[in-house]
Amino acid sequence: MSKALTIGQVAQTIGVSTHTLRYYEQAGLIRAVGRTQAGHRLYSPADLDWLKFVMRLKATGMPIAGMQAFAALRAEGQPTMDARRQMLAAHRDAVLARIDELQSNLGAIIDKIAYYEAAIDAAAQASTGCGPTRQTDATQSPSHSEKDSPWNT
């Protein structure tokens, strides 16, 4: 097996513990990997590529059960390509929805930061009697802090 990697090398490469790799194998996320005569796991470059993909699924919020279902379909080969595509398309849609939610929440946080900066500047102006340190645009639309009552703090 050319370029075979030990469990420690793979764990370090993908950023997980060796215990996690053993768990993934036991959970069916990884096909049985090659072994040395002493019984130590040896991972091929293809195994590493698959594990990197599994880590992307994990990082994007796919539950273990979803990853197991995908791995089981993958193990069945070519006839399951459409099912795998459908599964990934559904996961993509869930990830995009989560990104939209995060973008909305980020917008509210950015607006709240601007609100605090303006309040701090106004307080500094009042205490020093100096002119504005930041130019504001009176035509700006209301911020999240004005529209979204939970953010009015």
Side-chain angles (χ1 to χ4, degrees), residues 110-121:
I110 289 169
D111 287 348
K112 185 51 72 176
I113 291 168
Y115 167 81
Y116 285 128
E117 288 173 344
I120 291 166
D121 283 351

Side-chain angles (χ1 to χ4, degrees), residues 127-142:
S127 69
T128 63
C130 295
T133 59
R134 185 185 315 247
Q135 187 172 3
T136 58
D137 182 1
T139 64
Q140 288 179 341
S141 63

